[in-house]
Every structure is written in C-alpha cells, then in structure tokens.
Amino acid sequence: MPSDTPLMPRPWKTRLALPCVAFGLLLLAWELLARFAGWSTDVFPGPLKVFASMGELIANGTLLKHTVASLFRVTLGFYLAVLGGIPLGIMLGRWQNARLLINPMIQFLRPISPLAWIPLAMLWFGIGDKPAVFLIFLSSFFPIVVSTTATVSAINPIYFQVGANFNFTRWEMITRVIVPAMIPGTITALRISVTIAWLVVVAAEMIAVQSGLGYLILDSRNALRMDYVMDGMIVIGLIGLLLDYFMRRLGRIESAGWHN
Amino acid sequence: MGHIVIDNISKAYRNRRRQRRAGDDPELRYGDQILVLDHIQLEFQDGEMVCILGPSGCGKSTLLKIIAGFDQPNDGRIVIDDRTVTRPGSDHIFVFQHNGLLPWMTVWENVGLGLRRMTDAQAKAERIAEYIEMVELDNFEHHYPHQLSGGMQRRAELARALAVNPELLIMDEPFSGLDFLTHMKMREEVVNMHEFIRKTTIVVTHDIDDALIMGDRIVVMSGQPSGIKLDRRLDFARPRDFQKEPALNQLRNEIFLMLGVPYAV
Ligand SMILES: Nc1ncnc2c1ncn2[C@@H]1O[C@H](COP(=O)(O)OP(=O)(O)O)[C@@H](O)[C@H]1O
Ligand SMILES: [Mg+2]
C-alpha cells in the first residue's frame, strides 16, 4: 500500500465513491447475515424487507410525521441550549470571578447523564414535548458552556489590548473581538453537541411522548415489527449524517476567511 | 502635543523563584513582591524619537505596557500633556511586537479600527486609503493578516496606529522576527515616517545600532531592578553612519561596555 498523503485533496468522485463502497459492503453483510444466520425474518429482517416497509411508512406519512416531531424537539432544545450556553460561556471565559463561582457547579452537573434526569423531567414537566425538549437542552447545554468558556478564555489577550487601545466599548469588545475570535472553536463545539442532542432525542421520546422516531422504535418493538424498528434506526443515522455534513460545511465557510 | 513625563514609576511582580534569591535585600523587594522597575524618572519632548535599550528581561516591555495604560504601576504615574494616563486610549497607541492586527479583519478594516466614529463615510474611506498608501500596501487592502509577510503586517499595524493621529506612538521591538533586509528597510521607513509626522515615538529595542541610528535620544536601562543608566540626546545628522561619525562609534562602544560586552564585536 502506498502511504497516505493527507494534504492531497481527493477528487469529489473519489470522495463520493469510497463511502458508497463501505455502505454497499454493509448492505451485503446485512443481507448475508439475514439469510444464513438462521433467525426468522420477523426477528432479523433483511434489507429488502426493511426497505419495502420503509416505502409503506413513507407512503402513509408516518415516517415524515415522526421525523418532523423529532427534528422539532431537537431544534428547540438545541437552540435553547445555544441561546443560554453561549452567553454564559462568554461570561465565564471573560470574567474570572464568575468562572470561580459557577464552574465547579457545572463540572458537577455535567457528568450526570441527561437520561438520569428523566424521572425529574417527567415529574416537573408532565408528558408531551416539554420533558423531551428539557432533556435535549440539558444534553447540549453543558458541552456548549464548557467549550465556549475554554474558547473565550484562550483568546489572545493582545486582541483585547488592541480593542482597549482603540477605545472599544464593552459591546464592541464582544462583537468585534470575542465573537469573531470564538467562531471557529464554537462551530466545532456545536457540531459535537448537536450530535449528542440527536442521540438523546431518541431516548427522550421513549418515555413521555406519542410521536418522534424514538416513539416509532419503541412502539414498533411493542408490536414486534423489527422492520419498522430498523426503519427508525436508518432515518436516525441518515439525519445524523446530514447534521454532521452541514456543521462541517458551516466550519468550512468560516475557515475560508481569516482562519487558516 | 506629545510631552511625556514618566514620573517615578515603580513596578513589582510576584515571582517565587526570584523572591527566594533576593532574600531580604530591601533593594530588590517591594512588599512581598520583586521589584522590576525602580523609580524610573524620564521626560520626553514633543516629537522626540526615543530609543530605549536594555538587556532582555530588564523591564522594557513592562515600562511600555504601563505607559500604554495596559498595566498599572505600583508607584508613580505617566503624564501625557498634563493628563495622567489611567487606561489605554487612542491618543497613545501601542504597536505590538507580533500579532497586533486583528486576524479576522482585512488590512482595510484594521486600519479603519480607530476611525469607527467618523460619520462622513467618504472622508473615512479617504483617510484609510491615505494611510494604507503611506505604508505602500495599496494592493493589499482586502488581504487578511495571515496573507501578508511579517514586514507587511508591521506596516499595516503602523498605518492603523498613525491613522488615529496619536500624541504618542509606543513600539515594542518593532523589528524582531524580521529578516535582515526587511529589518533594515523597516527601520528606514520608521525613521522617514517619524521625520514626516513628528509625533513623539518610544521605541524599545535590544539592538544598539537600531537605537543609535534612529533615536533623537537614547535611554539605556540596567538589569534587575531596572534603573536608568544612560539618557542622552543624539544630535547626529541623518542618515547616520558609524564610519563617518567617530563620536557615534565611541558612544556605541561605551554602551557595549555598559551592557556588559567588553568590546564592540
Ligand atoms: N505578568 C508578569 N508576572 C510576573 N513577572 C513578570 C510579568 N511580566 C514580566 N515579568 C517579569 O518582569 C521582568 C521584566 O520583563 P519584561 O518587561 O518583559 O522585560 P523585557 O521586555 O525588558 O525583556 C522579567 O524578569 C519578567 O520575568
Ligand atoms: Mg520585551
């Protein structure tokens, strides 16, 4: 094998073809396993059966309904986390006393899995969208606060001195120094936390709601329809793939500017 | 006007290692801290180009940061035209050793940084263009700092500083990290710039030749804690040449001795 040359950008055809090969092999392995492993197709349906049932779910609108429900909850919870987490992170990154005050508490709450909050969430918010949105908020809020704090406190102090030298107001310090300086780090942080949020929505939907991809999976399990379970899993994976792709794109738009 | 008084400035830092070495010597201690600047007293006339020399670690950057208002002295004060400096501001601009441009702004935006309050957009654009042209970056207005060479970055920063018409320009090792030819060229440009605008300029350097070629005045600081070893006017004609100016050469040897190098190399 020739050694890898990471700096050589591959042509787009290669970049498209190689992942397709991997997915093709996955499909093949799945089909072979389903045929020869000895399970009934009810327990371990093959790709053909799963794609056929996905056609059904698409045609009767079920899949779209559940996907939209999940996306709605993730979007809402994630936006709330961004809205609360980024300003708090900026404050903690810039203001040492606030960091001393609040950071230990955040480090204490952060390792508690969002799933551990499920009983409390249901008690506080009842059933419906609210507890699910709350869990998604929790799952991405802490990573966003922690990485924003780190990004902001790592900004080169020279930039603040330049700002002060040219009489920047407090607001100008935020808009002309902090925000542009933190964008690359923040995009990476958002990319990681949106993935976590998407992981959590499925779990959240297994408890308190009657819609969403998590509910679809749980409900199909109760009905012993493993093909529907797999449909749900495939859609979750595809959306995760798309989210990652868009966040990557967002990162690249920025790096085209000043950040090499 | 740019009449500067550095009035009895003292500055101490906490430094465990050196604190132990200093022991109880009252000359080196300032409370429980280590004295870096020891009652520095200097006065600069309007329009002077002052070059400050001194061994590495003697507190040159510390002094400049205090003059700029980035740092507060433990004792004494900085006075610019009868006003005491309490914080940074655009009448006394600090030119950084490295990385002083905001990397997310183009040359044009960086040079315009101090002109944000100008309401007349046309006048503002003209002014930005004028200063960019002055440092010969007219074809690089829309480049980001990382797309410029080291010398071009320094020039852009100089243009940004001059554009706000400051009373005082503070430069910390403005040529460090530049290759030899860029260093020489940049030095000439700073001298020409100064001849042209005649603003009080303080340049810190560790290069004796830079100080002797550029300065209207040369100040030599000593080691720890720092005091003033030499403060002298340089009334030599420009462009200066060590070969043709025995007195300049003489002074150069003197300073070499003063800094602990036994003969000029
Ligand atoms: N923020 C700081 N905290 C503690 N010590 C400092 C700090 N800044 C500078 N010093 C000490 O002060 C002395 C002078 O530093 P500096 O002004 O950077 O020297 P120079 O610019 O002349 O090389 C050095 O011994 C340095 O270790
Ligand atoms: Mg220094």
Side-chain angles (χ1 to χ4, degrees), chain A residues 221-249:
Chain A
R221 191 211 58 173
N222 293 341
L224 294 176
R225 289 296 300 262
M226 292 310 135
D227 49 342
Y228 288 169
V229 169
M230 287 184 171
D231 288 336
M233 290 168 67
I234 289 172
V235 175
I236 290 167
L238 281 177
I239 289 176
L241 195 67
L242 284 177
L243 283 177
D244 190 62
Y245 174 76
F246 284 121
M247 293 311 273
R248 252 176 227 269
R249 286 284 299 248

Side-chain angles (χ1 to χ4, degrees), chain A residues 161 165-167 172 176 258, chain B residues 89-90 92 94 103-104 116 146:
Chain A
Q161 292 179 329
N165 214 166
F166 288 97
N167 302 337
E172 284 173 324
R176 288 166 187 263
W258 62 274
Chain B
S90 57
H92 50 293
F94 191 99
W104 45 85
R116 309 183 304 289
H146 73 89

Side-chain angles (χ1 to χ4, degrees), chain A:
Chain A
M1 284 281 283
S3 71
D4 208 6
T5 48
L7 292 179
M8 254 304 264
R10 300 287 192 269
W12 69 269
K13 276 184 194 163
T14 317
R15 284 201 310 241
L16 199 64
L18 285 179
C20 286
V21 170
F23 277 111
L25 288 174
L26 184 69
L27 274 177
L28 186 69
W30 179 12
E31 175 68 34
L32 290 175
L33 216 62
R35 257 174 216 234
F36 300 111
W39 283 306
S40 87
T41 58
D42 289 336
V43 177
F44 190 36
L48 284 180
K49 182 168 177 188
V50 168
F51 287 129
S53 71
M54 188 180 286
E56 282 167 39
L57 290 182
I58 291 172
N60 68 19
T62 321
L63 201 56
L64 184 68
K65 187 186 87 183
H66 289 309
T67 306
V68 168
S70 290
L71 281 174
F72 165 73
R73 288 181 194 116
V74 144
T75 309
L76 190 59
F78 186 69
Y79 273 145
L80 288 176
V82 169
L83 240 54
I86 288 185
L88 181 62
I90 290 178
M91 213 177 80
L92 296 185
R94 272 302 281 162
W95 191 13
Q96 209 178 355
N97 282 343
R99 188 152 72 232
L100 288 173
L101 185 73
I102 300 177
N103 208 36
M105 190 183 72
I106 289 177
Q107 298 303 341
F108 165 76
L109 291 172
R110 191 162 74 111
I112 302 171
S113 162
L115 304 186
W117 288 85
I118 286 177
L120 291 176
M122 289 178 70
L123 202 63
W124 293 343
F125 298 105
I127 55 169
D129 283 338
K130 277 188 210 156
V133 170
F134 174 69
L135 292 177
I136 290 155
F137 168 81
L138 273 183
S139 73
S140 32
F141 178 71
F142 292 117
I144 289 175
V145 173
V146 169
S147 59
T148 306
T149 306
T151 311
V152 170
S153 59
I155 296 175
N156 189 340
I158 285 182
Y159 303 146
F160 293 106
Q161 292 179 329
V162 169
N165 214 166
F166 288 97
N167 302 337
F168 276 21
T169 59
R170 208 171 269 245
W171 179 245
E172 284 173 324
M173 264 327 170
I174 295 175
T175 57
R176 288 166 187 263
V177 177
I178 296 176
V179 168
M182 69 187 268
I183 280 177
T186 303
I187 286 176
T188 310
L190 293 184
R191 198 177 132 206
I192 292 165
S193 48
V194 81
T195 313
I196 300 173
W198 187 239
L199 264 172
V200 168
V201 70
V202 176
E205 284 167 347
M206 292 189 172
I207 47 149
V209 288
Q210 304 289 308
S211 64
L213 293 167
Y215 171 78
L216 172 70
I217 288 176
L218 189 75
D219 191 49
S220 308
R221 191 211 58 173
N222 293 341
L224 294 176
R225 289 296 300 262
M226 292 310 135
D227 49 342
Y228 288 169
V229 169
M230 287 184 171
D231 288 336
M233 290 168 67
I234 289 172
V235 175
I236 290 167
L238 281 177
I239 289 176
L241 195 67
L242 284 177
L243 283 177
D244 190 62
Y245 174 76
F246 284 121
M247 293 311 273
R248 252 176 227 269
R249 286 284 299 248
L250 203 60
R252 217 169 312 146
I253 290 169
E254 183 50 37
S255 64
W258 62 274
H259 197 264
N260 49 353

